[in-house]
């Protein structure tokens, strides 16, 4: 079994190709993080306000979070290739149907519901595949793979802006939908999990993670303090992060007074920090502990929120630094949460366990994006939104200290 081949190479070497392939699938799915580029054109085209233009984005994120735990139960039954392919086709269909000349309700259904279902189906598969091929480097491997989702706007934000300028927002949905379907289907053909008894040559763990014993099933997991601490912290982290992602471009135009093209380019810049956050916090969580990772993340959100409360016209540097911190922190949670799930609970049940934990992402998306849009419509500015993010950052630090602290036994921490 140790001599098996992967991509024509020994499995220990070939498995590394699964990381860029998985990251590419997530890059296509992560185009949702470029939604702020679509908002102004859609507001003008459909005659809708800020809250309404965030609605398709919000619904997609919620459906994404709901489907994650459900999909985890079907990967082992139908196989990673089939689940990825089905998800990719549904994502593409959602984008293509979003080009139909209609209203906000139709767009919310085609983009929010249909594409959201597709993202929810496909997202967890590359992470589950990589996690099983890298039992010896879980945090680093998952962190590198999930970078694709966060890094997506670096490519898709300027691409979407260019396509919208050239062909219009409706035709842009068609082009992206066809491209994503083709790319994901091609990669789906080579995604597979290792045999159950496979392990890297020379890797012989001498200790057993207590999380694998004491929290082997989902019933035990949801009764543990560690689960609730992680779930609440994850919700707070995504509350501010996803809201900021949704308002980046319009906020830059309205408050900082940047032009649309420059605002779109800043979204690409922030995508780099989103990706770096996943890499840094994946390593940091492995090296130290999820508790410290959460505290550092919330401290950055607190600093960024305080900066944005004072930002105004021409405060380009303040905006760039603050939003880079927001994206960096948010990206961190997409590494902290899955890595913590692997550390605390059974790695054999990772897809199912992380699916349940991932419902926090949906809760944060629903609360953050709706509140950000409503604040803009009521107060006429996004600035007020940074008061609740300030308070939540402080609350997150407190929760991390008191709930995540006792989630780890001394022997578990020693293995980090």
């Amino acid at each position: 079994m140790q001599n098996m081949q992967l991509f024509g190479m020994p499995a220990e070497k070939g498995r590394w190709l699964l990381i860029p392939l998985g990251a590419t699938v997530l890059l296509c799915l992560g185009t949702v993080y470029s939604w702020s580029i679509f908002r102004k054109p859609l507001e003008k085209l459909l005659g809708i306000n800020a809250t309404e233009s965030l609605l398709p984005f919000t619904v997609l994120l919620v459906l994404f979070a709901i489907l994650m735990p459900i999909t985890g139960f079907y990967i082992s039954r139908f196989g990673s290739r089939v689940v990825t392919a089905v998800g990719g086709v549904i994502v593409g269909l959602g984008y293509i149907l979003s080009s139909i000349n209609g209203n906000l309700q139709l767009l919310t259904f085609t983009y929010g519901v249909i594409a959201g279902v597709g993202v929810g189906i496909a997202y967890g598969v590359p992470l589950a595949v990589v996690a099983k091929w890298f039992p010896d480097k879980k945090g680093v491997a998952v962190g590198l793979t999930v970078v694709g989702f966060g890094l997506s706007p670096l490519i898709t934000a300027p691409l979407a802006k260019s396509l919208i300028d050239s062909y219009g927002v409706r035709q842009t949905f068609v082009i992206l939908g066809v491209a994503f379907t083709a790319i994901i289907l091609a990669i789906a053909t080579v995604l597979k999990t290792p045999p159950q008894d496979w392990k890297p040559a020379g890797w012989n763990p001498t200790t057993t993670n207590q999380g694998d014993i004491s929290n082997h099933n989902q019933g035990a997991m949801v009764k543990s303090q560690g689960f609730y601490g992680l779930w609440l912290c994850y919700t707070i982290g995504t509350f501010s992060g996803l809201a900021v992602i949704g308002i980046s471009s319009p906020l830059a135009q309205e408050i900082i007074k940047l032009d649309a093209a420059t605002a779109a380019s800043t979204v690409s810049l922030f995508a780099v920090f989103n990706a770096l956050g996943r890499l840094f916090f994946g390593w940091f969580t492995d090296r130290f502990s999820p508790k410290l990772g959460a505290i550092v993340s919330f401290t950055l959100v607190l600093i960024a929120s305080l900066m944005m409360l004072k930002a105004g016209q021409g405060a380009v540097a303040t905006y760039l630094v603050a939003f880079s911190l927001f994206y960096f922190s948010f990206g961190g949670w997409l590494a902290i949460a899955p890595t913590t799930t692997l550390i605390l609970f059974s790695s054999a049940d990772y897809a199912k366990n992380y699916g349940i934990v991932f419902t926090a992402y949906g809760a944060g998306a629903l609360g953050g994006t709706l509140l950000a849009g409503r604040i803009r419509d009521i107060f006429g500015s996004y600035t007020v939104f940074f008061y609740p993010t300030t308070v939540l950052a402080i609350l997150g630090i407190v929760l991390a200290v008191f709930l995540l602290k006792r989630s780890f036994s001394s022997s578990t921490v020693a293995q980090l």
Side-chain angles (χ1 to χ4, degrees), residues 109-240:
F109 178 73
T110 57
Y111 184 85
V113 176
I114 298 178
V117 167
V119 174
I121 291 173
Y123 177 87
V125 187
L127 299 181
V129 169
V130 168
K132 291 184 177 182
W133 278 106
F134 289 86
D136 52 334
K137 297 179 177 66
K138 294 175 184 175
V140 173
V142 170
L144 285 171
T145 305
V146 82
V147 156
F149 204 74
L151 201 59
S152 179
L154 179 65
I155 297 172
T156 59
L159 175 62
K161 178 67 171 60
S162 177
L163 290 173
I164 290 171
D165 289 344
S166 300
Y167 303 104
V169 67
R170 296 196 186 282
Q171 190 62 29
T172 296
F173 281 127
V174 175
I175 295 170
L176 293 178
V178 171
F180 295 160
T181 302
I183 292 169
I184 295 174
L185 282 177
I187 294 176
T189 61
V190 298
L191 288 182
K192 65 177 181 178
T193 55
Q196 190 168 358
D197 58 347
W198 184 86
K199 63 180 181 180
W203 184 68
N204 294 295
T206 56
T207 57
T208 301
N209 186 327
Q210 287 190 356
D212 285 354
I213 299 173
S214 61
N215 296 305
H216 186 73
N217 57 59
Q218 293 76 47
M221 180 185 75
V222 298
K223 294 177 182 178
S224 67
Q225 176 182 281
F227 167 75
Y228 289 103
L230 175 59
W231 196 92
L232 290 171
C233 287
Y234 198 7
T235 299
I236 293 173
T238 54
F239 179 97
S240 59

Side-chain angles (χ1 to χ4, degrees), residues 71 74-86 125 129 188 191-193:
T71 304
Y74 288 94
I75 294 175
S76 58
R77 180 179 300 182
F78 296 105
S80 55
R81 294 172 178 173
V82 171
V83 176
T84 304
V86 170
V125 187
V129 169
L191 288 182
K192 65 177 181 178
T193 55

Side-chain angles (χ1 to χ4, degrees), residues 244-270:
V244 163
I245 286 171
I247 67 177
S248 298
S249 182
L251 180 147
Q253 295 175 60
E254 295 176 17
I255 296 179
I256 313 301
K257 303 302 181 184
L258 297 179
D259 60 77
T262 305
S265 67
T266 65
V267 174
S268 298
L269 169 67
F270 299 146

